[in-house]
Structure formats: structure tokens, C-alpha cells
Amino acid sequence: MNEKSKSNDSFMMKLATFIVDKRNLFFLITLILIIFSAFSRNWVEVENELSFYLPENAETKQGLDIMEDQFVTFGSAQVMIANISLENAETVADEIAGLEGVQSVAFDDSEDHYNNVSALYDITFDYSEKDEQCLTALNSVEKALADHDLYVSTDLGNAVSESIDSEVKVIMVYVAIIVVIVLILTSQTYAEVPVLILTFVTAMILNLGTNFIMGKISFVSNSVTSILQLALSLDYAVILCNRFKEEHQTLPIREAAIVALSKAIPEIGASSLTTIGGMVAMMFMQFKIGADMAICLIKAILLSLLSVFIVMPGLLVLFGPLMEKSGHRNFIPKIPFVGKFAYATRLVIPPVFVLLVVLGFSFSKSCPYVYGYGEIDTPKLNDTQIAENMIQDNFSASNFVALVVPAGDDQKERQILDELETYDQVDYTMGLSNIEAMDGYTLTDKLTPRQFSELADLDYEAAQLIYSAYAVKNEDYGHIVGSISTYSVPLMDMFLFVCDQVDSGIVELGSEQADLLADAKEQMTNAKLQLQGDTYDRMLIYLNLPEGGQETYDFLDTIRETAQSYYPNGNVYVVGNSTTEYDFQKSFSRDNIVVSVVSILIVLSVLLFTFKSAGMPLLLLLVIQGSIWINFSVPAFTGTPLFFMSYLVVSSIQMGANIDYAIVIASRYNELKNQMDKKEAIIETMNFAFPTIITSGSILAVAGILIGQMTSDAAIVGIGQSLGRGTILSIILVMFVLPQILLLGGTIVDKTSFTVPSSVKRKNASGRVRIDGMVRGEINGTVSGMVHAVVEGDVNVNLISGNVTEEGEDTGETQK
């Protein structure tokens, strides 16, 4: 052993001794952190909108920021009542309109609002959609209509997030049960199961409690991180536990824990690098939810490592006596048939697999990715989805986008709206410049005093005085000096000015005129808040196109080009659910390549240092990348739409986590192939690797399947289904394809090794043996170096150069 190795061993032993001997201190610190985490987990803000994570330069992101800053978006909801007559529906509309907090109710006898004996009410509330009072008003509506067959669709509140949280809690219970069963089956003592569970629960609580450091996390990360943390990092605890049991066969509990920890730290640390590497790849995505999930998962893995290294050694010492008394037989059988099958099919399976990989790559490119939820049917529906489906089944879906343009030119805005309404794809448009106020005038039409007096039923002289006061307020003195009769002011501005004068007592009106003016003021004020900002105006374009699809994306470009032709030097933004999907599509085309390349490069780098060979990493990557391609060719075969984010997340996890299964097999086979013939080596390798793979793989696969079947959010469903299917495929491939590839590709691995020359041959001989050359091995002991000798006894060496010949005992005959 060289000095560097001794130094490393000495450091690890000292560190392990410190951790084990100070276990009570670490228990106390951990308990304090757990209590803190119980409170701090409530400080985490959860972001429910995927559009929040669009790149900063995305048009939708910039448009949303402008709209949030300059416009008010009132809270709204669609309420459907089934099995109601038209007469009763009209009565209900009046009832809703009279409720506190309700600004307006859109309902008529057209098919847009009454169809199939069902009524649909478009309700707008008096408050901004982010105001909690919207939920209070919505609750009042639901309470008032509780006796009806009611369906409510709205973006207000956190109903969807709360549904997902409750679903994930149920999933965690199922996963916990599966974990306990798997651990009992794969363990050797019953008492090690609580050690493993306590270690993981500690890591999970600490991870949840430290999420507040990020300020805000996505609903996806908030939902699946804990489940994925369990599935991805349980191996670390299993490795340390197995090391402890191995050392405890010859050492007392304390010493066994110290030695096991000193050996496990570098082993577990190296094992975690590939998983973390896969997560790091997501941080390079333009779609920032990748970085959000990556940070949450990397933090989860690091805290799992910390829990294994700091908390678990003390638990092993604490539960050590119980582990001694609670041993049971091994429930996991040996699987020699897998190794025998691998050896028998070593020339057949690899070429068949290569063909499957080529087909998988080809079909995966045809995977039907979608960028919105509209085309995805989830196995489970929450209340909001049920309501939306009922509304869509009975009424035509509404799809609108907002067009944001520089403020100040009402004529241009009117021209844009008029031009857009000539397209078949547009149902209708809405903006200040085309909203009719009264008598055929729109809100932005400019009226003279004469026109305004006739419209408002005012004396002409009074109207002139009001116009003069308006000119003074706006420092437009030229019209006062000139002729006030030709002074024209937008209808909305003049009405709001008059209202201010009435409110201040400067102008007095009759009660009928005052009521008319008050109604007009409310409508115009709300319209102005929603459609007119300080530097931008907003217009709404209602489309008869679906939210997603290339036809919709192409028409969005048409809207943008139309507006840009009127504002060649100004910024215009098209914003809506359709534009969000369009921006998702644009970011995916880049993120798809980046995630794949970065994850492969990171994992490849780790494998190069692990195996010190160029060939072995390529063989392992072929298997795992092949499983990824085959995984995402399945939706292409079945025609099942897949939310694009699911691919980006799962391909990273699959590459980072499933590669560990391949590493276990490859590492063990490398150790054994020089100690016995290849057939026995691969049989022993598969017997050794099976418990590890089945423990980790089954938990990850079950977690994925449960997520995919028991959640209602399309993005999370896609992650779960793809992860579960991908993990099962990876297990099958590493069990029934990788062994054959290792057997067939052993020469490639040896020839591309960084440390061992390619001419190494295994030589076994007994009796009188002559050795001439550089050897490494055992000759009644270990020999390494140049040997020129005749040995009496058994020889078991790696021949690096030279010859080993077996000589006859009496005749002097030699055998190669």
C-alpha cells in the first residue's frame, strides 16, 4: 500500500471514528434540525404556473410581466348548472349578479350559455385574481347554488395544488408499504429495516424543511421530490448497512460501524455522482423548471448522503444488538439461470439489442410530444378537471390571447382589431377602441362638446364648461383660447372626468343622470384597468382554434406580424395559454439536445474515472441510452400524447440513476473475470447484483407507476409513467442484455484500459511450473514483478508479458 492510500485510509478511519463516537451529539443536532424543519416547511412558496419558468427572453414571459405590472386582471370563473330550464337559469343569473363581490355575469339564451338543458355562467368578480376576496366571493356563489348540479372551473386559489398534495400523500403511504416489504425481503435481519427507514425519513424531513432556502419551488418539485428522493437514494443506506453486517461478522458493533463507514463513504460518494450528474443536466435547460427540479433533487440526494454518513452509523450501533437477534433466512433466491442464459446467448442477444436500439432511436423521434394539457387524458381526474370536461362536453371551448401594444394610438388599435376580425380563425376581438359604449360610439371615439351633450343629455353650455375644465386640467390651453366647440376628447376620458367633477360636487346632475353616469363610470373604470396601462394597451383576440397545435402556433405568428406592421419600431407581445405552449415548443427543441448531451457527458466522465477504460463506459451508456430511446418510442407506438417536460426530466433521471444498476454488474464482473472462467464469472456476477438491482429498481419502478396512476396533473402523470416504464426497461436490459454485452465486449474493454495492458492473460497451472516474464498473482502468496523461476505448487497469476509453462515432474515435458 502506497503512502497516499495509507493517508486516505487513515483520514477515513479518523472521520468514521469521530462520527460513530459522537453519535449522541449528531442525534441531538439532527433532532433540532427536524423540529426546525417541521416549521420551516410551511415557509415554502409553491408556484403553480408552468409559465413562470419560461426563459426570461420568451415573449410570453415578457408579456406576462408587463400585464402584471400595468393591467388588472379581475378574478373569474365559469359555473355550469346541469339539468336546469332556461327560465330558472335566467333567474339564477340574476341571483348570482346580486351577490356581494360579483362584478358581472354573462348569460343569455344562445348556445354559448344554454345548451343540453345546462346553463353556463361566465362570472367576473370585483377583485384582482390574486386577491383573496375572489375566493370569498366564489364561495358565496357555490353556497348560493349548492342545491343545483354544479360544476365550477376557475384558476382562482390553489385547488389543483391542494388536490395534487392530497394525492401525493396517498402515494407516499403506498410507497412506504412497498419499501417496507422490499426491505424485509432483501434484508438479512428484521432490525435493519427500521434503521433504513429512520435514515430516509430524516433525510426527507430535512429536505422538505430546507426548501424555503429556494424561496419558491414548482408544484412539480413540491409533489414528487420526496418520492423520488426515496427511490433514488435508498441504495446509499443499503450499501452502508450491508458493509456493517459484513464487518460485524469479525468485529464488535462499534468497530464494525467505524470500519464500514470508512469503506462506505468513498463507495457511496462515487455511486451518487452519476445520479447527481443526471440531475445537473437539467440545470442547463432554458425551461427553468429543469433547474428548479434539479436543485430540489440534488439537495435531496446530498441530504440523504448526509443522513447516511452522520445519522445512520449511530443507528447501526443503537440497533446492533437487535440486528444480532433478529436474523432471518435470505428471501431473495440465487439466479444462476440468468448467467447461464447470458453465456449461451452472448453471440445472439447483442446484435438483436443493437437493432432494437436503432429502432428505438428512430421511433423515439416520433414521440407525440404535446405542450399543453388539453390533449392528455390522465388516469385520475380532480374536481376542476371534471368540471372542465363537463363544460367542454356541453359548450364550445374558449381560447383567447392578449395582444399587448404600445399605448397612445387608438386608431392603430382599431385598425389592428378590424384586420384580425377578417380572419376565419378569429371569432371576435375586444379592445378599448372597439367596445361600444352607447349610441354607436366606442370608448375611445373622440367627441366634441356638442356630441357629448347630445349623448349625455346635457345642456350644450354645460358641456362646453366641462370641456374647458378638462382642457385646464390637462394643460391644453390652446383650445380654450381658440374654439372649445372643436375640441374633441375620447368618450371614456370625458365620462370619467365628469364623474370626478360630480363626486367632488363641482357639477350637479339629476338623480337619473347621476345613476346613468355611475354605471358608466364603473364599466369604463373596469375596462380601463383591464385594457389600458401607462405605456401599453391590451386587446383580446378570441380564437376558434385549439390551444395547441401547429395551426394555432402559425396563426399566433400571423397575429404578431399584423401588430408589428403597425408598430415597426415598438415591442408587441402575444400572450395566452396558446403562446405559453408555443414557447414551450421552442424551448424544448433546444433543451432536448442539451439535456441528452450534457447528461451523457457527465455520466461518461464519471464512468471513465470509475473503470479507467474508454470501452466500458461506452458499453454501459449504450445499454442505458438504449433503454431511454426504447422507453420513449412506446408513446409513438401507442399514439399516447406525452407532455414534453416528462421526457426532459425522466431522461435525466433514467440516465443518472439507472446507470448504477449497470455499474454494479460491470464492476463485479471485472473483479471476477480474472479469477474464474467467464461463464462462472457472469453467473456469480448476476447472483451478486440481483438483490441490489431488485431493491433499488423495484422501488423506483413502483414509485413511478404509482405517480403515473394516482395523480391528476398531466405533467406529473407523464413523469411517473415514463419513469416507471423506463426503470422496468432498464432492469430488463441490465439483467438480460448487459451480461451478454460484457461477455462479448470484454476484449474492447481490455484494449481500451488506461492501466492494464491488453496482453494480460490468465494462467493457471500446478505442479512444477516455470515462469519467465512480468506477472501479477499468487504463488503460495502474492507475486508482482519480473519473475524468472520454477515453482513447485499451484500458480494463479495474470501474465502481463512472457510465458508460463507447465513442466512434467519426471520427464521434463512442458505444457503451455
Side-chain angles (χ1 to χ4, degrees):
M1 185 180 292
N2 58 38
E3 292 299 321
K4 183 177 180 180
S5 178
K6 289 181 180 179
S7 175
N8 288 339
D9 287 350
S10 176
F11 171 76
M12 286 299 173
M13 284 295 293
K14 289 179 180 178
L15 178 62
T17 301
F18 176 77
I19 292 173
V20 172
D21 289 345
K22 300 295 182 182
R23 56 188 178 276
N24 290 331
L25 173 63
F26 287 118
F27 284 157
L28 177 62
I29 294 173
T30 302
L31 181 61
I32 294 172
L33 291 175
I34 288 175
I35 295 173
F36 172 79
S37 297
F39 293 96
S40 63
R41 65 173 301 181
N42 298 317
W43 303 344
V44 181
E45 182 180 356
V46 179
E47 176 55 57
N48 294 312
E49 295 295 332
L50 290 177
S51 58
F52 176 83
Y53 295 97
L54 283 167
E56 293 298 327
N57 61 351
E59 179 185 4
T60 302
K61 178 72 170 177
Q62 294 176 348
L64 286 171
D65 290 342
I66 291 172
M67 291 200 304
E68 183 175 356
D69 180 58
Q70 300 206 13
F71 306 104
V72 173
T73 301
F74 290 104
S76 62
Q78 283 190 313
V79 175
M80 188 189 104
I81 297 179
N83 304 311
I84 187 172
S85 67
L86 178 59
E87 182 181 358
N88 289 336
E90 291 172 340
T91 302
V92 168
D94 294 335
E95 181 182 353
I96 296 173
L99 294 174
E100 183 178 354
V102 175
Q103 181 184 122
S104 64
V105 179
F107 178 79
D108 53 39
D109 60 358
S110 69
E111 289 188 355
D112 289 337
H113 291 104
Y114 189 81
N115 190 38
N116 294 335
V117 200
S118 299
L120 178 65
Y121 306 93
D122 290 312
I123 303 173
T124 302
F125 300 104
D126 285 327
Y127 320 102
S128 166
E129 61 182 355
K130 294 187 177 180
D131 194 323
E132 290 294 327
Q133 293 185 81
C134 277
L135 289 176
T136 302
L138 178 60
N139 290 335
S140 298
V141 172
E142 292 176 333
K143 185 177 180 181
L145 306 180
D147 294 335
H148 297 277
D149 190 1
L150 194 66
Y151 300 91
V152 179
S153 173
T154 182
D155 292 330
L156 298 175
N158 299 314
V160 175
S161 178
E162 290 169 359
S163 296
I164 294 173
D165 284 343
S166 63
E167 292 163 0
V168 169
K169 289 176 182 177
V170 174
I171 294 173
M172 281 298 296
V173 173
Y174 281 102
V175 171
I177 294 172
I178 296 297
V179 167
V180 171
I181 294 173
V182 171
L183 290 179
I184 290 175
L185 292 176
T186 57
S187 65
Q188 295 174 332
T189 67
Y190 292 111
E192 69 188 72
V193 175
V195 173
L196 297 172
I197 293 176
L198 286 172
T199 301
F200 168 72
V201 169
T202 298
M204 181 186 70
I205 294 174
L206 294 179
N207 188 52
L208 291 173
T210 53
N211 280 336
F212 78 93
I213 298 173
M214 298 176 63
K216 179 185 291 187
I217 65 173
S218 70
F219 71 96
V220 180
S221 299
N222 187 58
S223 301
V224 302
T225 296
S226 294
I227 299 174
L228 294 181
Q229 179 185 13
L230 168 61
L232 294 173
S233 60
L234 188 62
D235 269 359
Y236 309 147
V238 172
I239 290 173
L240 178 57
C241 187
N242 289 340
R243 278 287 186 184
F244 170 77
K245 290 183 292 184
E246 182 181 340
E247 299 297 336
H248 188 38
Q249 292 177 1
T250 57
L251 295 172
I253 292 176
R254 172 185 171 275
E255 287 73 15
I258 292 172
V259 174
L261 181 60
S262 68
K263 293 180 179 179
I265 288 177
E267 182 180 355
I268 295 172
S271 175
S272 68
L273 289 179
T274 53
T275 305
I276 292 175
M279 304 301 107
V280 169
M282 290 195 292
M283 299 182 69
F284 289 84
M285 289 167 53
Q286 280 186 326
F287 186 31
K288 296 305 179 184
I289 200 169
D292 176 83
M293 287 200 69
I295 294 172
C296 286
L297 287 172
I298 290 172
K299 179 167 65 69
I301 292 170
L302 293 177
L303 287 170
S304 295
L305 290 173
L306 190 65
S307 181
V308 169
F309 294 154
I310 300 298
V311 179
M312 188 172 176
L315 293 175
L316 288 172
V317 174
L318 185 63
F319 282 80
L322 287 176
M323 292 172 66
E324 293 175 342
K325 300 174 182 178
S326 62
H328 61 74
R329 68 181 182 85
N330 192 353
F331 297 115
I332 300 298
K334 298 290 185 180
I335 52 169
F337 65 92
V338 174
K340 293 177 182 178
F341 172 79
Y343 190 79
T345 59
R346 65 190 184 281
L347 300 178
V348 178
I349 294 296
V352 173
F353 171 67
V354 171
L355 177 61
L356 286 175
V357 169
V358 173
L359 292 174
F361 172 72
S362 176
F363 282 104
S364 66
K365 292 193 297 183
S366 302
C367 184
Y369 297 113
V370 293
Y371 306 93
Y373 288 1
E375 299 179 51
I376 300 177
D377 295 324
T378 57
K380 182 176 181 178
L381 298 177
N382 56 46
D383 291 341
T384 300
Q385 290 170 321
I386 293 172
E388 289 174 349
N389 288 344
M390 286 293 295
I391 292 172
Q392 289 176 9
D393 289 342
N394 291 279
F395 300 93
S396 58
S398 176
N399 178 23
F400 70 91
V401 294
L403 175 60
V404 180
V405 300
D409 198 325
D410 299 327
Q411 185 177 358
K412 283 185 178 180
E413 292 178 24
R414 181 61 182 267
Q415 291 173 335
I416 290 172
L417 295 177
D418 288 344
E419 182 174 342
L420 288 175
E421 285 192 341
T422 64
Y423 288 96
D424 294 336
Q425 294 89 338
V426 176
D427 276 340
Y428 65 95
T429 63
M430 182 185 297
L432 291 178
S433 61
N434 75 346
I435 295 178
E436 185 175 340
M438 55 183 69
D439 292 351
Y441 291 113
T442 66
L443 292 176
T444 58
D445 282 343
K446 293 184 176 182
L447 276 65
T448 63
R450 173 71 65 184
Q451 292 170 317
F452 184 75
S453 68
E454 294 173 352
L455 179 66
D457 195 20
L458 290 173
D459 290 337
Y460 177 57
E461 290 77 10
Q464 286 182 311
L465 290 174
I466 291 173
Y467 267 65
S468 297
Y470 182 89
V472 171
K473 179 183 178 182
N474 291 277
E475 300 180 356
D476 202 353
Y477 303 111
H479 287 285
I480 299 175
V481 176
S483 175
I484 197 69
S485 62
T486 59
Y487 186 27
S488 60
V489 178
L491 171 62
M492 179 176 62
D493 293 344
M494 183 52 67
F495 254 108
L496 293 176
F497 175 74
V498 171
C499 291
D500 291 340
Q501 302 305 301
V502 171
D503 292 341
S504 61
I506 297 175
V507 175
E508 294 185 2
L509 298 174
S511 59
E512 185 176 343
Q513 289 177 318
D515 291 341
L516 176 66
L517 201 63
D519 290 339
K521 178 184 179 181
E522 182 181 4
Q523 294 177 19
M524 292 181 185
T525 300
N526 290 337
K528 188 173 182 178
L529 288 172
Q530 295 180 83
L531 301 175
Q532 188 178 76
D534 294 332
T535 56
Y536 285 93
D537 286 345
R538 178 165 64 173
M539 296 171 278
L540 303 180
I541 297 95
Y542 289 80
L543 308 176
N544 53 32
L545 297 171
E547 288 189 351
Q550 196 57 50
E551 183 183 3
T552 301
Y553 303 150
D554 291 341
F555 190 70
L556 294 177
D557 290 334
T558 300
I559 295 174
R560 188 180 302 103
E561 291 166 3
T562 301
Q564 197 72 61
S565 68
Y566 289 90
Y567 297 93
N569 299 318
N571 294 325
V572 299
Y573 303 92
V574 183
V575 184
N577 290 340
S578 293
T579 65
T580 300
E581 293 188 24
Y582 194 14
D583 283 335
F584 284 161
Q585 184 196 49
K586 293 174 183 175
S587 67
F588 178 64
S589 60
R590 171 193 177 276
D591 290 343
N592 186 12
I593 298 173
V594 170
V595 168
S596 298
V597 172
V598 173
S599 61
I600 288 175
L601 289 177
I602 292 176
V603 172
L604 180 62
S605 300
V606 174
L607 294 179
L608 285 173
F609 283 102
T610 301
F611 291 100
K612 297 180 175 58
S613 166
M616 182 64 82
L618 293 177
L619 295 178
L620 302 187
L621 282 173
L622 174 65
V623 174
I624 300 303
Q625 186 60 56
S627 72
I628 293 174
W629 286 330
I630 295 172
N631 183 19
F632 289 100
S633 68
V634 173
F637 278 111
T638 60
T640 305
L642 179 68
F643 194 60
F644 77 103
M645 188 182 75
S646 304
Y647 171 81
L648 297 173
V649 173
V650 173
S651 61
S652 298
I653 295 176
Q654 198 173 343
M655 175 59 72
N658 293 172
I659 195 75
D660 283 348
Y661 311 155
I663 292 174
V664 170
I665 292 176
S667 299
R668 189 64 172 181
Y669 178 69
N670 267 0
E671 293 176 11
L672 297 178
K673 70 177 182 178
N674 292 325
Q675 300 175 17
M676 57 188 72
D677 65 62
K678 291 182 178 181
K679 182 177 181 180
E680 292 301 320
I682 202 65
I683 291 173
E684 278 300 312
T685 295
M686 300 314 296
N687 284 335
F688 168 83
F690 180 62
T692 301
I693 294 173
I694 202 64
T695 301
S696 176
S698 61
I699 291 173
L700 186 57
V702 168
I705 291 170
L706 290 175
I707 291 172
Q709 295 299 316
M710 299 182 64
T711 51
S712 55
D713 183 85
I716 299 176
V717 166
I719 291 173
Q721 291 177 342
S722 300
L723 184 60
R725 183 176 61 241
T727 302
I728 293 172
L729 282 169
S730 295
I731 293 173
I732 292 173
L733 292 181
V734 298
M735 292 292 294
F736 296 101
V737 175
L738 179 61
Q740 288 89 328
I741 290 177
L742 292 175
L743 288 166
L744 197 62
T747 303
I748 297 175
V749 174
D750 291 339
K751 288 185 178 296
T752 57
S753 173
F754 302 154
T755 56
V756 181
S758 60
S759 59
V760 172
K761 299 177 182 177
R762 191 74 188 172
K763 292 293 181 179
N764 295 304
S766 60
R768 188 177 185 185
V769 182
R770 179 181 297 278
I771 303 175
D772 293 292
M774 174 73 77
V775 300
R776 179 180 296 113
E778 295 182 358
I779 309 174
N780 289 331
T782 300
V783 175
S784 180
M786 289 298 297
V787 176
H788 298 281
V790 174
V791 177
E792 296 284 352
D794 296 331
V795 174
N796 183 12
V797 298
N798 287 324
L799 181 65
I800 299 173
S801 64
N803 295 296
V804 173
T805 57
E806 192 170 350
E807 300 181 350
E809 197 169 314
D810 298 321
T811 65
E813 296 178 2
T814 62
Q815 301 174 22
K816 288 189 178 181

